[in-house]
Amino acid sequence: MSQAASEHQGYLEDFEKLNARVSGNGGGWAGELRRRAMERFRHLGFPSTRHEEWKYTSLEPLRKACLRTPDVSGGAVAWRCDRFDSEGWDRHALTFPWDGANASPDGDGDDLFIGRLATAMEGRPPWVEAHLGRHADYDDHALRALNTAFLEDGGAVWLGPGRVLERPVHMAFAAVPEHASGGIVHPRTLVVAGAGSRLTLVETYSGSGEGVYCTNAVTEIVLEDDAELDHYRLVREGGGAFHLGTVQVHQARNSRYRSLSVTSGGSMTRVEINALLDGEGADCLLQGLYVAGGTQHVDNRTAIEHARPHATSRELYKGVLSGRSRAVFNGKIVVRKEAQKTDAQQSNKNLMLSRDAEIDSKPQLEILADDVRCSHGTTIGQLEEDELFYLRSRGLNEGLAKELLVHGFAGEVLDGIAIEPLREGVENGVLSELGI
C-alpha cells in the first residue's frame, strides 16, 4: 500500500466509526455533507509545497505523524488544559471536549441559541441547515474538507433579529497531548447573527506539553443586515502541536465585523481568515498578532473580498519573531468590478528579535473596479539600538528594556482586546513565549 493510500486508510477507518456513531445526528443532509467532504479529501489529499498557497508551509511532518481521530463524544474531561481560563469576566462558557458541568450556555429560546453544535444539528432548526457547510468551501481545500467530513460537535450561536447579547460567548477548545495520544480533532463552530443583532465571540485553542497532536478547526460566521460581531480568536497550543484553522465570514448590508487574532505556541500554526463583504456598506476590521520563537513556524493568511459598493476594510497584522522561527503572512484584498467606492487598507509589520528568524510577507491587491481607495504595505525591522540605549541609560537592564519595546510594538493590536482579564492573560503569554 502506498504512503498516500495508507494515510487515507486511517482517515477512512475513523470516518466509518464516526458515521456509525452519529448516524442520527442532523439527519440525511448532514450525513450527505460528511460523505461529500470525505470524497473530496480523498481526491485532494494533503497539499504539498508545490501548491502555491502552501509554498512556504510544509505539512510533511503532519503527514508523517499519521494522527488518528479520537472519539471524544463521551466528554473526555481529563483531556483538557485551557491556558486562557482567566478569571474575572462574566461570559457564556462552552468547553470542549464537552463538559456540561463546566459549561453555562443558558441560551436557548425563540430568538437565541448558545450551545453545542451537536445539539443544534439534532434539533435541525432552519438556520443550521441553511448555513452549516455552506460558506467554508472545501472543493479545493483539503483541510476544510477533512474538518467537514468529521463534523460532529463544536459550538453554535444563533441570535434572532435585533437581539443584543451583553455577555461574551467563550468557546474554549483545549487539549493535553499526553491524553490525546497523538490525535487530530476537528472542532466546528457556527455563528449566525440576525439582522440588527450584536455579540462578542471569544474562541480559544490551547494545549500543553511537547507531545504531537493536531487541531483542525473551522468557524463559519454569518452576519445579516446591520449585525455586529467582535471576534477574538486566540491560539496557544502545546509545543509539539499543529494548529490549522479557517474562519469564513459572510457579511450582509451595513454589517460590522471586528476580528482580533493572536497565535503563539505550537510547532506549526496556520490560520486563514476570509471575509466576503456581500452587502453595500459592510465594514470589516482584521487585526492580528503572531509570536514565534525557537524553531516554530507560523502562517497567517487573510482574504477580504469586496463584492458590493461602499464597503470598508482595515487590516493590521504584526509579528514578533525570535530564535530560528519562521513566519509567513499573505494578505489579499479583492475588489470586484461592481464594488465601486471601496475603501481598503492593509498593513503587515514585523519585529525580528534574532538574525536567524525569517519572514515571508506578501500583501496583495486585486482591483477590478475603477473608483476605489486601496493601499497595502509591509515592514520588517529590529529593535532600535538608540531606544534600547535610552532605556538602559535610565537604569533598566537589557531584558526589561526589550520587554517594554516588544510590549509597545504588540500593544497596538493587544489593546484591541476589550476584556481586561483576557487581555492581561494574553499579554503575559506572549512575553513568556518569547522568553523575555
Side-chain angles (χ1 to χ4, degrees):
M1 182 181 292
S2 68
Q3 180 181 354
S6 176
E7 292 167 359
H8 287 171
Q9 185 62 33
Y11 289 116
L12 283 170
E13 291 174 3
D14 294 341
F15 177 72
E16 294 303 328
K17 292 177 183 177
L18 171 69
N19 261 349
R21 187 167 68 245
V22 300
S23 58
N25 189 358
W29 70 272
E32 182 59 28
L33 177 63
R34 295 187 189 98
R35 284 190 292 271
R36 288 199 309 268
M38 192 66 210
E39 284 301 315
R40 197 60 192 155
F41 172 74
R42 290 179 62 184
H43 174 76
L44 294 170
F46 282 115
S48 72
T49 53
R50 293 190 300 272
H51 294 77
E52 182 62 28
E53 296 291 305
W54 293 85
K55 183 177 180 179
Y56 300 110
T57 299
S58 173
L59 288 180
E60 191 61 22
L62 176 60
R63 182 183 286 108
K64 289 180 177 179
C66 296
L67 303 179
R68 302 295 294 269
T69 303
D71 178 4
V72 296
S73 58
V77 178
W79 187 38
R80 177 168 292 115
C81 177
D82 185 0
R83 299 165 81 182
F84 294 99
D85 191 19
S86 54
E87 298 298 329
W89 55 293
D90 192 18
R91 56 200 159 177
H92 302 272
L94 298 167
T95 57
F96 299 93
W98 181 253
D99 176 13
N102 290 329
S104 56
D106 58 72
D108 191 2
D110 293 339
D111 64 348
L112 176 65
F113 178 91
I114 305 171
R116 297 176 65 184
L117 181 59
T119 302
M121 291 172 65
E122 186 175 358
R124 295 186 64 182
W127 57 271
V128 173
E129 193 167 349
H131 294 293
L132 185 61
R134 313 297 185 187
H135 303 281
D137 181 59
Y138 56 79
D139 282 348
D140 296 311
H141 199 293
L143 296 168
R144 291 181 210 158
L146 192 60
N147 175 283
T148 306
F150 284 89
L151 200 161
E152 180 179 10
D153 204 359
V157 178
W158 174 72
L159 271 70
R163 183 66 187 256
V164 176
L165 203 61
E166 298 296 341
R167 287 190 290 161
V169 176
H170 180 199
M171 298 184 184
F173 299 91
V176 176
E178 302 93 280
H179 295 99
S181 302
I184 178 171
V185 292
H186 309 278
R188 189 70 173 230
T189 299
L190 175 64
V191 177
V192 180
S197 63
R198 188 169 73 244
L199 76 153
T200 296
L201 172 68
V202 181
E203 284 184 275
T204 61
Y205 298 86
S206 58
S208 67
E210 298 300 318
V212 176
Y213 68 94
C214 178
T215 300
N216 176 35
V218 172
T219 299
E220 291 180 295
I221 296 172
V222 180
L223 303 180
E224 297 182 355
D225 292 354
D226 301 297
E228 298 183 11
L229 172 63
D230 292 336
H231 182 200
Y232 305 125
R233 192 183 192 279
L234 313 174
V235 177
R236 195 178 176 201
E237 299 280 14
F242 302 92
H243 181 96
L244 307 165
T246 294
V247 178
Q248 190 71 41
V249 184
H250 185 275
Q251 293 188 239
R253 181 179 58 84
N254 292 331
S255 62
R256 172 186 170 275
Y257 177 64
R258 298 287 183 268
S259 167
L260 195 153
S261 171
V262 180
T263 55
S264 63
S267 174
M268 192 276 279
T269 300
R270 176 175 166 125
V271 177
E272 303 178 21
I273 299 181
N274 310 304
L276 174 61
L277 280 61
D278 199 22
E280 187 169 347
D283 185 81
C284 177
L285 171 65
L286 303 185
Q287 293 179 290
L289 176 68
Y290 47 93
V291 175
T295 59
Q296 291 174 327
H297 183 102
V298 57
D299 185 341
N300 281 274
R301 306 182 75 85
T302 65
I304 301 174
E305 185 171 359
H306 289 258
R308 296 288 183 267
H310 299 282
T312 302
S313 66
R314 295 288 184 269
E315 181 173 1
L316 172 63
Y317 265 67
K318 288 191 167 187
V320 183
L321 309 179
S322 64
R324 300 178 62 84
S325 62
R326 184 172 186 178
V328 180
F329 173 80
N330 186 292
K332 187 174 184 179
I333 296 175
V334 177
V335 182
R336 294 185 189 175
K337 185 177 180 179
E338 59 270 28
Q340 303 294 341
K341 302 296 183 180
T342 287
D343 184 353
Q345 297 179 20
Q346 180 192 90
S347 178
N348 175 229
K349 301 178 181 180
N350 297 278
L351 180 61
M352 317 298 282
L353 302 182
S354 165
R355 296 187 181 276
D356 294 322
E358 295 182 46
I359 171 71
D360 293 290
S361 180
K362 185 181 179 182
Q364 294 176 268
L365 292 176
E366 184 178 319
I367 303 173
L368 303 179
D370 54 17
D371 187 4
V372 302
R373 184 170 60 181
C374 299
S375 65
H376 67 161
T378 185
T379 61
I380 301 171
Q382 298 176 327
L383 292 175
E384 295 291 341
E385 291 296 333
D386 55 345
E387 293 178 349
L388 281 172
F389 176 79
Y390 175 82
L391 291 174
R392 297 196 67 184
S393 70
R394 295 300 186 271
L396 277 67
N397 61 40
E398 183 177 3
L400 184 55
K402 285 184 176 181
E403 180 179 331
L404 287 174
L405 292 175
V406 170
H407 189 279
F409 177 81
E412 187 177 2
V413 174
L414 294 180
D415 287 349
I417 302 178
I419 304 169
E420 186 174 351
L422 185 63
R423 182 177 67 251
E424 292 175 353
V426 173
E427 288 174 347
N428 293 334
V430 164
L431 294 177
S432 67
E433 291 290 338
L434 294 169
I436 58 175

